[in-house]
Amino acid sequence: YRPVVSSGEERAMSLKDKYCIAGVGMTKVGRVPGITSYGFNVEAIKLAIEDSGIPKNEIDGVLTKAPTSGFIMLYSAKIAQLLGITPKVTLTIDAAGATNAMMVQYAMMAIDAGLCNTVVLSYGDNPVSGPPGTYGRGRGNDAAYGLFGAPSGYALIAQRHMQEFGTTSAQLGAIAVACRKHACLNPNAQLYGKPLTIEEHLHARYVVEPLRRTDCCLVSDGGAAVIVTSAERAKTLRKRPVYIIGMG
């Protein structure tokens, strides 16, 4: 017996362990005035290149997420220009919260297709100290119904999940506590050294019921970047890479 596998699934399976994250870079996150979205991207990418040990002239793909604080045409090409990179592949992607994972997938597929060999992907923005009002008001038709930003939409999903499966606020809180624990390990994190307990979570005010303040992402200035390359190229690097075993 052989399960039916689509051509897309077969393609994804063929990428298993062939590509890896060879370097990472992260700036300070929180309220970081005086730095533009360009600055955060460039700083994060430089740190990722340094971490990977791959010479800058080997990087021939640049992918970025469109900055939330304002649409800028040819954004990834401008980042490449600031870095002094002439890429074979450059693209500005916006898939909201899925963008960062999507950029990793796109980088793998671009390398597999022979379009490039080593790709840097980044996101950086300054919604706290930069242009005012990025997250401060409702937009589009949803605003007329009180749907301000992502939490309101996810609150509807969470309400339904609670109704269907009996999910509790304490169970959601376990996720927030774990995320804060990880932040406490990262000196660049906005809430570095500030752990969270379930009790504190359950006493936090609602943003949109049933999501409490500690269920929701902070708004932050900052940037991060990763380098994706082939497992073959990574064999000669000084640091052991993280191999990508699957995607979806």
Side-chain angles (χ1 to χ4, degrees), residues 193-205:
K194 297 179 180 179
L196 177 71
T197 66
I198 288 290
E199 291 71 26
E200 288 171 327
H201 167 79
L202 293 174
H203 285 91
R205 66 174 177 83

Side-chain angles (χ1 to χ4, degrees), residues 94-232:
D94 183 12
T99 306
N100 299 314
M102 180 178 285
M103 286 196 291
V104 174
Q105 295 179 4
Y106 193 93
M108 293 166 61
M109 292 186 291
I111 299 170
D112 202 64
L115 302 178
C116 53
N117 297 298
T118 300
V119 184
V120 63
L121 26 146
S122 70
Y123 176 56
D125 203 4
N126 60 341
V128 179
S129 61
T134 300
Y135 292 97
R137 59 182 175 83
R139 287 175 168 79
N141 295 332
D142 289 346
Y145 300 95
L147 295 176
F148 281 58
S152 54
Y154 282 108
L156 297 173
I157 299 170
Q159 288 277 21
R160 184 57 182 259
H161 203 278
M162 288 178 163
Q163 178 185 332
E164 293 280 337
F165 303 105
T167 310
T168 66
S169 183
Q171 289 171 325
L172 295 181
I175 300 168
V177 169
C179 288
R180 188 72 69 87
K181 180 180 178 180
H182 298 151
C184 287
L185 301 174
N186 184 350
N188 282 329
Q190 188 165 344
L191 294 176
Y192 173 63
K194 297 179 180 179
L196 177 71
T197 66
I198 288 290
E199 291 71 26
E200 288 171 327
H201 167 79
L202 293 174
H203 285 91
R205 66 174 177 83
Y206 285 119
V207 174
V208 186
E209 194 173 356
L211 300 182
R212 300 178 183 276
R213 186 171 182 267
T214 45
D215 288 311
C216 300
C217 294
L218 297 164
V219 178
S220 310
D221 298 333
V226 300
I227 307 288
V228 174
T229 193
S230 67
E232 188 65 29

Side-chain angles (χ1 to χ4, degrees), residues 61 72 130 139 144 193 235:
I72 301 172
R139 287 175 168 79
K235 286 180 180 179

